[in-house]
Each structure stands twice: as C-alpha cells, then as structure tokens.
Amino acid sequence: MRRIPAVIAVVGLSALALVGCSSAPAAAGCERPDAGSSALGLVKAGGEPGSPTISLTDPVYAQSTSFTDETVGEGPVVTAQTQDVVFSIAIANGATGAPILETVTPVRSVDFWTTDYAGFATMLDCATEGSRIVGAVPYDQLSEQAAANWDIQEGQSIAVVMDVQKVYKAAADGAPQYNDRRGMPAVVLAPDGRPGIIIPDGAPPQDLAAEVLKKGDGEKVGAGDAIRVQYTGVNWADKKVFDSTWEKGASTALSLDAVVPGFAQALDGQTVGSQILVVIPPELGYGDQATGAVPANSTLVFVVDILGVDAPAADTSGQ
C-alpha cells in the first residue's frame, strides 16, 4: 500500500547556528543587517562555491556574533525562520585555527538551528541563495553541548565560512487563481501560510477533484523528483485533520511514486510555488483498508504547498 511518507528524520550535523550579518541587497521588506567586525579580516575563505574551506591568519575572538557577506547571491531570500535552507559550512577553532568541521547540511528550517547554534539562524536572516558568509561566533552563543563537542572553551570563538546553497519557499507564493467548482472545500490561510480546510456539508465529489489555488512560476515537478512540500490532510467524513506537516513543524520531501495515486495525479506537472487543493476518492486513496488515523473507504482532502525540489542524493554505489 502506498502512502504519504512521514517527515524525514534528522541526519548529519548535531545542529548549528550564529548571530550577525552584513549589508547586502535583499527582497522588499527584508533588510540585511550589518554585523561586521575587524576580526573577520583574520578569517580567510577558500574553496569553490558549495565547498568552502577556512584558515586563520591570527586568533579570532568575538564578543558577539559578527559576519559579513563575502559574496552576495542572486537567488531567493530567507525572509522567515520557517524557511528551509541548505548550506555548506567550514568551521575552525578561533583560538587555535584548528579545523573543526567541513560539511553540507541536510534540508532544515532556519529555526531548526537555533537550539544549539542560534547564531547561524541570525546569519541567515535576509541572506540570499548563492551567498558566501564569513563569520565569528563566541562561546556563549553555542549551547554547552555544542561547545563541548567542538572543544570550545569559555572566552573562545569559532570562525565560520558558510555557503548558502539552497533557499526554499516558506509557503506557496504563487498568483491566486479563480476556482468556481461547487461543492469543494474552502481554504483559509494563517499569516504564515498554514491552511485551514473547511469541509462543506453534503457528499464529496465521486471523482478526483483538484484545484490550483495559487499558481507558482517555478519549475514543474514530476515522477522521480524529491518534491519538498508542506501539506495538511483532512478526512471528509469527520472533517478532522489526520496528518499535517505544519503541525509536525517541518516540511517533507516526497516522490510521486511513493504516495497514493490521487495525490500523485494532482501534483504531477504542477509548479514550485503552487498551492493545490485535492479531493481524493477512496479508490485513489487508501481504498477499503484503514491506514493509521484514516478509516477504510475515506475520501481525503489535502492542501499542498510546493516549496521546491531537493537535489538528487549523491550516487555512492560505485564507491
């Protein structure tokens, strides 16, 4: 039985974050702060975009997190803490210059990084995809566990080079579309884009019914793509939410060949930035089998925001 996958578990880094920023062009209403420091002149960034390296000419100390954009990208802008990002990062001990870490993060929201490395989230505030950010973060802006893991002592700092590789949409931001099909659910949106679904009285559509509520101008998605989405699912019969990435606090990536047929049909060929309302009859959903909180023979209603497409996983089969 195919199903909509659950949110992917955390992998990779233990968690990251900083504080500060520099002046750079950004989206309307998102002004990149200036948090430079003379100490940043001691941090030397190298490596190709997406593979940063770091070295220090002298010890680097910072009383508060400071950073500057060495390169300003021209891609999408981080305008919300709930936005998902991918960045590659190189970190060194500011006191000794010893390398600590070079890695690429998994897809995570900006606010994910605040628990152990809150400064990284601040570094990303109004940053643009394609930017290279050089920063310095003091001991007291790391969690005790993070500082211990990296052997950073009180009074010391870390030096950072961060390449912002991918910025996803926080929610569907396409152009609103006019729909007039009778008997369809209504959708209301919270300020952050979280949908509420109002199921009408009466019988649901007998066939698959899909409407584009917002039409994005991004790339088309299809089979084989790892489509990054936020969604809410409601059972037509009892009008209750049975699954929601919004409630779980994280987006998810799904493939159209790993979800119920009606969900796949509704999303195939849609564009990034779009919001889709779909009513799925039982035969294109879970059929006559109960699945989790979904009873057998249920008509399912989803509102799906298409936020982006994840990069393909690296092929290590030949290694």
Side-chain angles (χ1 to χ4, degrees):
M1 190 63 171
R2 289 179 289 180
R3 62 184 179 83
I4 295 172
V7 176
I8 297 172
V10 174
V11 294
L13 288 174
S14 60
L16 307 165
L18 269 152
V19 182
C21 251
S22 83
S23 58
C30 193
E31 184 176 351
R32 188 90 162 120
D34 187 348
S37 165
S38 59
L40 299 182
L42 306 175
V43 181
K44 302 303 178 185
E48 295 297 317
S51 300
T53 61
I54 189 170
S55 61
L56 309 182
T57 58
D58 279 299
V60 171
Y61 295 93
Q63 294 184 345
S64 62
T65 299
S66 59
F67 51 92
T68 187
D69 294 333
E70 184 173 280
T71 303
V72 178
E74 298 180 353
V77 181
V78 177
T79 60
Q81 293 286 299
T82 54
Q83 268 175 280
D84 290 314
V85 296
V86 175
F87 55 88
S88 50
I89 194 165
I91 303 173
N93 185 307
T96 66
I100 293 174
L101 182 68
E102 291 182 8
T103 193
V104 179
T105 69
V107 180
R108 292 290 176 265
S109 64
V110 174
D111 58 12
F112 171 85
W113 304 109
T114 60
T115 300
D116 290 318
Y117 315 82
F120 289 170
T122 306
M123 284 181 69
L124 289 163
D125 184 27
C126 292
T128 51
E129 182 181 298
S131 293
R132 170 165 286 184
I133 308 170
V134 175
V137 186
Y139 167 87
D140 60 8
Q141 293 185 10
L142 301 170
S143 70
E144 290 185 7
Q145 185 62 57
N149 287 345
W150 290 347
D151 196 26
I152 303 300
Q153 308 300 315
E154 189 169 359
Q156 294 182 342
S157 303
I158 59 170
V160 177
V161 178
M162 175 192 292
D163 285 358
V164 184
Q165 294 187 238
K166 178 84 171 182
V167 175
Y168 292 80
K169 296 179 183 297
D173 61 357
Q177 303 294 294
Y178 175 72
N179 295 283
D180 61 357
R181 178 168 178 162
R182 299 189 62 174
M184 290 291 283
V187 178
V188 294
L189 300 178
D192 64 355
R194 182 188 304 251
I197 303 173
I198 303 171
I199 305 296
D201 295 330
Q206 293 185 350
D207 300 321
L208 181 71
E211 293 180 344
V212 179
L213 304 182
K214 296 182 181 182
K215 179 66 173 177
D217 59 4
E219 63 184 293
K220 287 186 177 181
V221 302
D225 290 331
I227 306 168
R228 178 70 45 179
V229 299
Q230 291 270 27
Y231 66 79
T232 294
V234 171
N235 186 338
W236 185 290
D238 63 15
K239 300 178 170 53
K240 293 182 179 179
V241 174
F242 64 86
D243 194 11
S244 174
T245 58
W246 295 94
E247 292 185 3
K248 293 173 181 176
S251 67
T252 190
L254 55 83
S255 173
L256 297 187
D257 59 6
V259 295
V260 295
F263 197 98
Q265 291 176 31
L267 262 63
D268 190 23
Q270 303 291 358
T271 52
V272 172
S274 294
Q275 183 177 75
I276 312 300
L277 167 66
V278 57
V279 180
I280 304 174
E283 62 271 19
L284 295 177
Y286 296 116
D288 59 3
Q289 298 183 32
T291 303
V294 180
N297 298 308
S298 291
T299 294
L300 311 178
V301 182
F302 285 96
V303 173
V304 186
D305 286 19
I306 305 176
L307 309 180
V309 177
D310 286 6
D315 183 1
T316 60
S317 59
Q319 297 182 4

